[in-house]
Amino acid sequence: MLQFLEMGLEALLFLALQAAAIQERELRISDKKVHYLEAGSPSGLAVLLLHGARYDSETWRKLGTLDVLAKEGFHAVAVDLPGYGLSEVSP
């Protein structure tokens, strides 16, 4: 975090503009909502990002993983597992 404070406003704005477009999406599986984030070209090699306990798909956005993978040409998908983030709980 300290490195960002030392960069200055212009550098931070530049990095923000360079960020990959991350789309929020959802689908329904067995009548339950599953939320996920998607970045990069759909024609790129797919990378599925799964989170651990106490985390959700936003973790991958905050860490910058989605941006890095998208910029490298991958199609990154970060899923909220059932009961986490914006996905519904499965019975």
Side-chain angles (χ1 to χ4, degrees):
M1 182 67 159
L2 184 58
Q3 75 185 65
F4 291 118
L5 296 175
E6 294 173 352
M7 293 177 76
L9 184 57
E10 288 180 17
L12 286 175
L13 288 173
F14 176 78
L15 286 176
L17 292 174
Q18 298 302 310
I22 298 173
Q23 303 293 318
E24 293 206 35
R25 303 203 188 278
E26 66 179 54
L27 57 91
R28 296 197 86 67
I29 298 177
S30 298
D31 222 21
K32 298 291 182 186
K33 179 178 83 168
V34 176
H35 174 264
Y36 63 98
L37 300 176
E38 183 176 36
S41 172
S43 64
L45 185 62
V47 176
L48 179 62
L49 301 168
L50 302 175
H51 59 80
R54 299 187 336 232
Y55 297 99
D56 59 24
S57 63
E58 281 296 323
T59 303
W60 300 112
R61 184 195 313 248
K62 291 175 186 172
L63 291 173
T65 307
L66 287 166
D67 284 328
V68 170
L69 288 170
K71 287 178 188 175
E72 293 297 321
F74 292 96
H75 179 209
V77 178
V79 179
D80 280 338
L81 296 174
Y84 293 89
L86 299 176
S87 290
E88 293 180 346
V89 176
S90 291

